[in-house]
């Protein structure tokens, strides 16, 4: 029974595919014919749309090019005029100099006559241009158009805007040797309008003359218009392409049909009665677009024809420029292309059907052959099935590996991390031992990518992965968490010292350099460590806590390691509370500004104050700037706080200095983020100007660390500030990586000696020598020296002996409110 069923199955396998293929080919041929017909219609429609779009784009491109040419020529009008009149005056001056050199032995009057006779006859620019000569005291020597002026004084001649034409031009020319001059005058043929006139004069020293000429700007502009119209009238492209120009009043200025030029067709209408000229003008005035209408004439036929033109306006000249494409020209082209497309689709259909028939015949023969082969191979399939099942299992295992391992380093990825942590904790719990999770992050890995390229960075990660695996022992594991971050799991550790040894093994990998593609690369890592059971038994929480201490480790010093502890957790929560409260501090008026007086050491008088920010939170009480300034910088709130301090301190010092003969200065600290903010210099200048305070009374304090981090970017900003008159102070000098190049290359006015050196001035010889050296450096660079943290008379005496200029500190006063500052120091300043 089974054999009979198998034979039927084999016969079915032989016949059924042939029948199925036959039916399929019939259906396929029907679909192909239908699709070919649909595609032909679609191709023709697409061809029509694309070609019309192309023609419109060509028209727009032509007009945009003409528009750019016109704009360029317009912008060159003034330069063209200046170059022309300067060249003319130089020619006149050369003639004058030549006549003078040849006749130096003759009286001035005779030489003057020779010169004026030579220059009087010269005209240019279509007869508009002429030369004039004046003495610098205003006496006219030559004026070809108004000879009655010669010998008279025009010292008090004014233009219609009240400018002394001859007087001012003479002064400029005599002072500079030559000069351009602008004045406004009516034209002889138009007494009702003012026109700008540009003149050029050159000083002739022997007779105290200036020789000059002038030209109305509008006349030069009209010359340029005429030249442009002539150029535009010669533009041709294709069979019917040309550019026309009409003005906003409907006058044809340029057209391929010369008889239209000079005529007015504002009320012109096409054959369909459409007022196309007004439509063209309105469209151009609104910025330009396409206009469809019946044109008056098509060049190749000489008859009216439908047309689509792109038009654009030149507002200050009241011009419309346009060009377009004739619909009939497009239709003629499309009829030819449509016939070609139909023929191509017909040929393609015939080829496809022929190929389908041949393919069907071949496929049927193949299926017959395959059907016969199936019966012979049927038994073999059972063996193949078994082997395929094995292959599927291997593929499944391979896919599982790929899904759970990093493609670059072949290390387990984060999908396996939770499983590894859970297993490690279970093993440690079973043996009453500890489990360490170490979050490792490469320091400055981005710089390696930027410097050498990402391929080198990838190879470095691969090399490090091999090194990391080499230090693993039985039960240990490593995961690539992402990017340049790795997580180690170390179960069954006996104590904290065992975890520290694991850290040392990780750090030892970075003691040697790595040779990658011929480049020697040095790297380091920062590590954050959490431990089970002390820090918890939840994988997510252990990862989160290790990330926190990793961040804190980088914050303290790159290349370090930090174990999680309650104090760090407490600090993180404290920082979050501070950040949350700080976001509302300004709105709640919790931020205030106090002022620490700065005293001139030699005279004992107040020099100025340093503005210091204070915060008293309703929730948290008084918060030290040490605790919240760093958070403000990390969150970007420093910009808002910095501007508040600047605004408040400027307003307060402006009030303090009101009606006083002696004004005090203001020092304000700048955060690096403030300095790097866009438009910071412009914003600062505007703010100071608003409070009517002299920029020279403002000192901006920056720290050395700012210069170390980005000297190239900061240097031009500091120069801008100095150019605006602000003083620049280098704060905490000596505490960073001090470099004399800062003082040589940057516009620093002042150095502030850090309070840590002043505190040890009397007790530590190194601090004493350092303070004396800093002051000596300041003197050599002619800088103002300010000492911070002065608390005793002895400190002040020693600073005075070292010729320090200014001091501040609790010896004089603590930071004061504006009220206390005014009460205590205003009377002193007034006296």
């Amino acid at each position: 029974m089974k054999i009979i069923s198998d034979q039927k199955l084999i016969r079915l396998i032989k016949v059924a595919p042939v029948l199925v293929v036959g039916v399929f080919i019939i259906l396929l041929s029907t679909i192909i014919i239908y699709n070919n017909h649909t595609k032909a219609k679609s191709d023709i429609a697409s061809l029509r749309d694309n070609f019309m779009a192309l023609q419109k784009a060509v028209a727009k491109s032509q007009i945009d090019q003409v528009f750019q040419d016109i704009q360029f020529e317009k912008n060159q009008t003034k330069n063209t005029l200046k170059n022309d009149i300067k060249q003319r005056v130089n020619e006149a001056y050369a003639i004058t100099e030549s006549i003078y050199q040849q006749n130096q032995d003759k009286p001035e009057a005779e030489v003057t006559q020779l010169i004026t006779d030579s220059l009087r006859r010269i005209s240019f620019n279509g007869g508009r241009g002429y030369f004039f000569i004046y003495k610098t005291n205003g006496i006219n020597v030559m004026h070809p158009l108004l000879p009655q002026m010669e010998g008279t004084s025009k010292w008090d001649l004014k233009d219609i805007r009240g400018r002394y034409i001859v007087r001012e031009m003479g002064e400029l020319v005599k002072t500079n040797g030559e000069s351009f001059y602008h004045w406004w005058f009516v034209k002889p043929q138009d007494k009702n309008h003012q026109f700008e006139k540009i003149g050029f004069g050159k000083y002739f020293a022997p007779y105290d003359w200036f020789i000059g000429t002038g030209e109305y700007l509008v006349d030069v502009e009209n010359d340029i218009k005429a030249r442009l119209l002539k150029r535009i009238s010669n533009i041709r492209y294709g069979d019917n392409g040309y550019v026309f120009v009409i003005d906003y009043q409907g006058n044809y200025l340029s057209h391929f049909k010369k008889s239209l030029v000079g005529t007015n067709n504002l009320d012109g209408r096409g054959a369909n009665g459409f007022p196309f000229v007004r439509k063209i003008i309105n469209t151009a005035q609104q910025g330009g677009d396409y206009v469809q209408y019946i044109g008056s004439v098509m060049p190749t036929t000489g008859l009216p024809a439908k047309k689509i033109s792109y038009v654009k306006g030149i507002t200050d000249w009241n011009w419309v420029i346009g060009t377009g494409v004739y619909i009939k020209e497009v239709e003629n082209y499309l009829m030819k292309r449509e016939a070609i497309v139909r023929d191509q689709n017909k040929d393609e259909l015939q080829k496809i059907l022929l190929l389908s028939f041949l393919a069907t015949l071949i496929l049927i023969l193949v299926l017959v052959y395959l059907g016969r082969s199936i019966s012979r191979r049927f038994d073999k399939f059972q063996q193949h099935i078994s082997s395929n099942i094995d292959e599927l299992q291997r593929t499944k295992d391979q896919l599982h590996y790929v899904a759970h391992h990093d493609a670059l380093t072949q290390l387990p990825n984060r999908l396996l991390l939770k499983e590894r942590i859970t297993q490690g904790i279970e093993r440690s719990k079973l043996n009453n031992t500890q489990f360490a999770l170490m979050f490792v992050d490469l320091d400055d890995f981005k710089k390696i990518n930027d410097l050498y390229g990402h391929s080198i960075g990838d190879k470095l990660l691969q090399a490090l992965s091999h090194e990391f695996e080499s230090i693993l022992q039985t039960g240990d594991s490593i995961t690539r968490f992402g990017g340049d971050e790795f997580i180690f799991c170390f179960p069954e550790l006996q104590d904290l010292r065992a975890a520290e040894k694991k850290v040392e093994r990780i750090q030892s990998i970075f003691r040697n350099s790595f040779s990658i593609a011929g480049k020697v690369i040095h790297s380091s890592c920062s590590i954050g460590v959490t431990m089970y059971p002390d820090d918890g038994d939840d994988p997510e929480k252990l990862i989160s806590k290790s990330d926190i201490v990793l961040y804190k480790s980088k914050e303290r010093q790159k290349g370090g390691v930090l174990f999680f502890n309650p104090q760090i957790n407490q600090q993180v929560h404290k920082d979050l509370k501070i950040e949350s409260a700080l976001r509302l501090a300004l709105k709640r008026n919790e931020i205030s500004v106090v002022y620490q007086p700065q005293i001139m050491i030699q005279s004992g008088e107040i020099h100025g104050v340093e503005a210091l920010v204070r915060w008293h939170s309703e929730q948290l009480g008084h918060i030290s700037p040490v605790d919240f300034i760093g958070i403000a910088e990390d969150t970007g709130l420093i910009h808002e706080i910095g501007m508040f301090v600047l605004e408040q301190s400027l307003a307060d010092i402006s009030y303090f200095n009101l009606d006083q003969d002696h004004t005090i200065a203001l020092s304000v600290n700048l955060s690096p983020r403030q300095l790097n903010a866009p438009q910071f210099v412009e914003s600062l200048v505007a703010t100071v100007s608003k409070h009517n305070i002299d920029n020279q009374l403002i000192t901006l304090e920056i720290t050395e660390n700012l210069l170390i981090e980005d000297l190239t970017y900061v240097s031009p900003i500091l120069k801008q500030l100095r150019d605006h008159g602000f003083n620049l102070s280098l704060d905490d000098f000596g505490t960073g990586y001090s470099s004399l190049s800062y003082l040589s290359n940057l516009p620093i006015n002042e150095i502030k000696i850090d309070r840590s050196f002043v505190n040890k001035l009397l007790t530590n010889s190194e601090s004493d020598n350092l303070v004396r050296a800093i002051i000596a450096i300041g003197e050599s660079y002619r800088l103002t020296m300010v000492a911070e943290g002065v608390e005793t008379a002895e400190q002040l005496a020693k600073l005075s002996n070292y010729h320090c200029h200014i001091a501040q500190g609790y010896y004089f006063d603590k930071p004061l409110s504006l009220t206390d500052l005014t009460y205590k120091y205003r009377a002193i300043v007034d006296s």
Side-chain angles (χ1 to χ4, degrees):
M1 199 67 183
K2 181 180 179 182
I3 295 174
I4 295 173
S5 298
D6 288 344
Q7 289 176 347
K8 289 181 178 179
L9 178 62
I10 292 172
R11 283 197 297 271
L12 182 63
I13 290 173
K14 290 179 180 179
V15 175
V18 175
L19 294 175
V20 170
V21 168
V23 173
F24 174 76
I25 291 301
I26 292 172
L27 291 174
L28 181 62
S29 298
T30 303
I31 293 171
I32 290 172
I33 293 171
Y34 174 77
N35 286 343
N36 180 266
H37 179 69
T38 303
K39 181 176 181 295
K41 294 174 69 175
S42 175
D43 288 347
I44 291 171
S46 177
L47 173 65
R48 178 176 294 273
D49 293 340
N50 291 340
F51 185 72
M52 181 57 74
L54 175 62
Q55 294 301 306
K56 290 169 71 175
V58 169
K60 184 177 184 302
S61 175
Q62 288 284 348
I63 293 305
D64 287 343
Q65 181 61 51
V66 172
F67 182 82
Q68 291 176 8
D69 291 345
I70 292 173
Q71 292 296 327
F72 176 78
E73 293 286 356
K74 281 173 57 184
N75 295 335
Q76 291 296 109
T77 300
K78 192 167 289 188
N79 288 337
T80 300
L81 188 155
K82 285 186 173 182
N83 291 335
D84 182 59
I85 63 175
K86 183 175 181 179
Q87 179 182 349
R88 298 293 186 180
V89 170
N90 285 334
E91 292 171 358
Y93 185 86
I95 293 170
T96 302
E97 180 68 21
S98 175
I99 294 172
Y100 173 76
Q101 291 296 337
Q102 294 173 13
N103 298 277
Q104 290 189 52
D105 57 332
K106 296 178 182 178
E108 179 179 344
E110 187 176 341
V111 178
T112 298
Q113 188 65 41
L114 291 172
I115 293 171
T116 57
D117 288 345
S118 297
L119 299 182
R120 191 185 304 275
R121 295 188 298 271
I122 299 175
S123 64
F124 43 90
N125 291 343
R128 298 192 308 267
Y130 61 89
F131 297 114
F132 54 77
I133 301 175
Y134 283 91
K135 284 185 174 293
T136 59
N137 63 4
I139 301 298
N140 181 269
V141 178
M142 184 190 76
H143 197 298
L145 294 187
L146 300 171
Q148 63 271 22
M149 287 173 46
E150 295 175 2
T152 64
S153 174
K154 295 300 175 183
W155 182 255
D156 295 321
L157 178 63
K158 295 182 181 180
D159 70 0
I160 58 178
R161 297 191 177 185
R163 300 186 66 182
Y164 290 96
I165 302 173
V166 177
R167 185 187 307 182
E168 293 178 7
M169 187 172 182
E171 291 172 353
L172 286 172
V173 171
K174 189 169 184 178
T175 301
N176 301 313
E178 61 182 32
S179 178
F180 288 100
Y181 185 73
H182 296 243
W183 68 94
W184 290 80
F185 232 67
V186 297
K187 298 181 71 173
Q189 63 273 30
D190 188 352
K191 301 290 186 179
N192 297 320
H193 296 91
Q194 308 172 19
F195 297 93
E196 182 180 4
K197 194 167 186 178
I198 300 178
F200 180 78
K202 194 174 183 71
Y203 185 58
F204 185 68
Y207 293 154
D208 193 29
W209 289 355
F210 65 91
I211 305 169
T213 188
E215 179 73 290
Y216 287 102
L217 191 60
V218 68
D219 289 338
V220 178
E221 192 172 78
N222 289 334
D223 290 344
I224 290 175
K225 287 181 181 179
R227 186 168 67 251
L228 284 169
L229 289 172
K230 183 177 180 181
R231 188 190 307 169
I232 291 170
S233 68
N234 293 324
I235 295 176
R236 295 287 187 277
Y237 61 95
D239 294 331
N240 293 294
Y242 64 92
V243 177
F244 62 83
V245 182
I246 60 177
D247 62 20
Y248 288 179
Q249 290 71 45
N251 296 305
Y252 278 95
L253 305 180
S254 177
H255 197 279
F256 95 94
K257 190 175 181 181
K258 304 302 182 182
S259 61
L260 289 177
V261 177
T263 65
N264 184 285
N265 198 25
L266 182 62
D267 296 319
R269 295 176 180 269
N272 59 354
F274 179 69
F276 68 93
V277 176
R278 289 187 181 274
K279 179 63 176 177
I280 286 172
I281 294 171
N282 291 337
T283 302
Q285 288 176 324
Q286 294 172 10
D289 205 344
Y290 294 96
V291 180
Q292 184 169 340
Y293 58 97
I294 297 178
S296 58
V297 60
M298 181 175 176
T300 53
T301 65
L303 301 173
K306 288 184 180 180
K307 185 178 184 182
I308 297 177
S309 290
Y310 181 80
V311 297
K312 193 167 188 175
I314 302 174
T315 305
D316 46 357
W317 282 4
N318 291 336
W319 279 14
V320 178
I321 55 174
T323 188
V325 56
Y326 288 93
I327 304 298
K328 185 176 181 180
E329 186 178 21
V330 174
E331 293 294 340
N332 290 339
Y333 172 82
L334 289 175
M335 287 176 61
K336 295 177 183 178
R337 292 297 303 164
E338 286 174 7
I340 293 173
V341 169
R342 288 193 184 94
D343 291 342
Q344 288 176 343
N345 282 325
K346 184 177 179 180
D347 292 342
E348 289 177 4
L349 178 61
Q350 291 175 349
K351 291 177 182 178
I352 290 172
L353 291 176
L354 178 61
L355 289 173
S356 298
F357 174 76
L358 293 175
T360 301
L361 182 61
I362 293 171
L363 187 58
I364 290 174
L365 293 174
V366 170
L367 288 173
V368 170
Y369 172 77
L370 289 176
R372 292 177 179 178
S373 299
I374 286 173
S375 60
R376 294 192 300 267
R377 298 176 179 272
F378 191 78
D379 292 337
K380 296 181 181 180
F381 285 156
Q382 297 295 330
Q383 300 174 1
H384 286 308
I385 290 171
S386 298
S387 62
N388 285 342
I389 290 174
D390 295 337
E391 181 65 25
L392 284 172
Q393 186 61 44
R394 286 193 296 271
T395 303
K396 178 182 176 183
D397 294 340
Q398 184 178 4
L399 289 174
H400 182 272
Y401 179 87
V402 170
H404 290 80
H405 288 76
D406 175 54
L408 177 67
T409 63
Q410 302 305 311
L411 295 177
N413 58 26
R414 64 170 65 191
L415 292 177
L416 283 179
L417 179 58
K418 185 176 180 180
E419 178 184 329
R420 296 290 172 88
I421 296 173
T422 302
Q423 292 173 353
I425 290 175
E426 290 298 326
R427 290 176 57 187
S428 300
K429 185 186 296 184
L430 184 65
N431 298 309
N432 197 27
T433 54
Q434 299 184 34
F435 170 83
L437 185 146
M438 301 187 183
F439 204 135
V440 177
D441 180 78
L442 303 188
D443 298 324
D444 298 324
F445 183 70
K446 182 179 182 301
K447 292 182 179 178
I448 293 175
N449 277 335
D450 293 342
L451 183 61
Y452 300 109
H454 287 272
S455 61
I456 298 297
D458 288 346
K459 290 179 181 178
L460 175 62
L461 291 175
Q462 290 173 330
L464 281 169
S465 299
H466 293 313
E467 295 294 328
F468 287 156
E469 287 184 304
S470 70
I471 66 171
L472 298 181
Q473 297 177 332
T474 304
D476 299 343
S477 65
I478 181 175
T479 299
R480 186 185 181 195
F481 194 70
D484 59 338
E485 298 174 334
F486 299 85
I487 290 182
F488 286 86
C489 295
F490 296 113
E492 299 186 89
L493 300 178
Q494 296 300 321
D495 50 28
L496 184 63
R497 178 56 190 154
E500 291 173 345
K501 287 182 179 179
K502 295 290 187 181
V503 169
E504 291 171 0
R505 297 196 69 179
I506 295 173
Q507 290 179 322
S508 67
I509 292 174
F510 294 89
R511 290 175 188 154
N512 299 319
S513 60
F514 293 85
S515 179
I516 307 293
K519 296 177 175 59
V520 177
I521 300 175
H522 295 272
S523 184
S524 63
C525 72
S526 298
I527 306 175
V529 185
T530 51
M531 302 285 292
Y532 161 83
D534 293 343
D535 303 326
D537 60 0
D538 180 76
E540 293 292 340
K541 289 183 178 179
L542 288 175
I543 294 172
S544 175
K545 289 178 179 179
S546 65
D547 193 16
I548 289 172
V549 289
L550 172 65
Y551 171 78
K552 288 293 182 183
S553 174
K554 278 184 171 290
E555 194 177 65
R556 292 181 180 181
Q557 183 181 356
K558 292 180 180 179
V561 60
L562 193 61
F563 284 72
F564 186 86
N565 59 58
Q567 290 76 23
I568 291 177
N569 192 38
Q570 184 178 359
Q571 182 62 47
V572 170
H573 285 86
K574 178 183 176 183
D575 290 347
L576 288 173
K577 288 181 180 179
I578 291 175
E579 179 183 338
S580 178
L582 187 58
R583 293 184 182 278
L584 299 173
L586 282 174
K587 294 180 181 178
R588 293 175 174 173
N589 296 319
E590 296 176 353
I591 303 293
S592 60
V593 183
V594 293
Y595 304 94
Q596 185 163 49
Q598 296 178 325
I599 306 301
M600 292 184 288
I601 295 177
Q602 298 303 322
S603 66
E605 296 178 352
I606 184 171
H607 163 73
V609 294
E610 179 181 359
L612 302 172
V613 65
R614 294 291 184 264
W615 177 28
H616 186 82
S617 169
E618 293 179 6
Q619 296 176 281
L620 307 175
H622 177 73
I623 310 296
S624 169
V626 175
D627 292 330
F628 74 81
I629 290 297
I631 294 174
E633 290 184 338
D634 291 340
T635 58
L637 293 171
I638 194 65
H639 300 294
E640 190 176 353
I641 294 173
M643 286 308 298
F644 168 79
V645 171
L646 186 64
E647 289 271 10
Q648 186 65 52
S649 59
L650 286 170
D652 289 347
I653 297 308
S654 177
Y655 168 78
F656 184 92
N657 288 336
L658 194 64
D659 299 328
Q660 291 192 90
D661 294 332
H662 176 72
T663 56
I664 66 171
L666 172 67
S667 290
V668 182
N669 291 280
L670 288 185
S671 160
R673 288 184 179 269
Q674 283 180 272
L675 201 63
N676 290 330
Q679 306 298 319
F680 169 73
V681 175
E682 293 79 359
S683 177
L684 175 64
V685 171
T687 302
V688 174
S689 176
K690 181 174 66 176
H691 290 280
N692 198 27
I693 295 180
D694 187 348
N695 292 1
Q696 294 184 351
L697 289 176
I698 309 299
T699 298
L700 305 173
E701 297 188 14
I702 58 175
T703 63
E704 281 187 272
N705 290 336
L706 174 61
L707 303 181
I708 294 167
E709 290 173 1
D710 203 349
L711 180 61
T712 304
Y713 180 81
V714 169
S715 180
I717 298 176
L718 297 182
K719 286 185 171 63
Q720 287 184 54
L721 291 171
R722 192 70 188 93
D723 291 341
H724 282 289
F726 295 107
N727 295 307
L728 298 176
S729 176
L730 192 55
D731 197 9
D732 301 334
F733 188 78
T735 59
Y737 298 91
S738 306
S739 172
L740 294 183
S741 64
Y742 300 155
L743 308 181
S744 300
N745 299 325
L746 295 177
I748 303 297
N749 305 88
E750 177 183 285
I751 290 178
K752 297 194 78 172
I753 304 170
D754 189 68
R755 66 180 65 250
S756 62
F757 302 132
V758 176
N759 288 342
K760 300 176 184 178
L761 182 63
L762 303 175
T763 60
N764 185 299
S765 59
E766 291 183 0
S767 292
D768 180 60
N769 291 333
L770 183 57
V771 169
R772 183 161 36 185
I774 292 173
I775 294 174
I777 291 170
E779 286 181 348
S780 66
Y781 283 96
R782 298 180 180 178
L783 303 177
T784 300
M785 304 302 301
V786 180
E788 295 182 297
V790 177
E791 298 183 357
T792 67
E794 291 80 6
Q795 292 172 342
L796 181 63
K798 181 159 282 195
L799 290 168
S800 176
N801 188 43
Y802 291 162
H803 303 296
C804 184
H805 305 116
I806 298 171
Q808 65 183 81
Y810 275 44
Y811 176 72
F812 304 103
D813 253 316
K814 65 179 181 180
L816 303 172
S817 66
L818 175 63
T819 302
D820 293 339
L821 179 71
T822 304
Y823 174 77
K824 186 166 184 179
Y825 285 95
R826 198 166 195 177
I828 297 174
V829 171
D830 288 338
S831 62

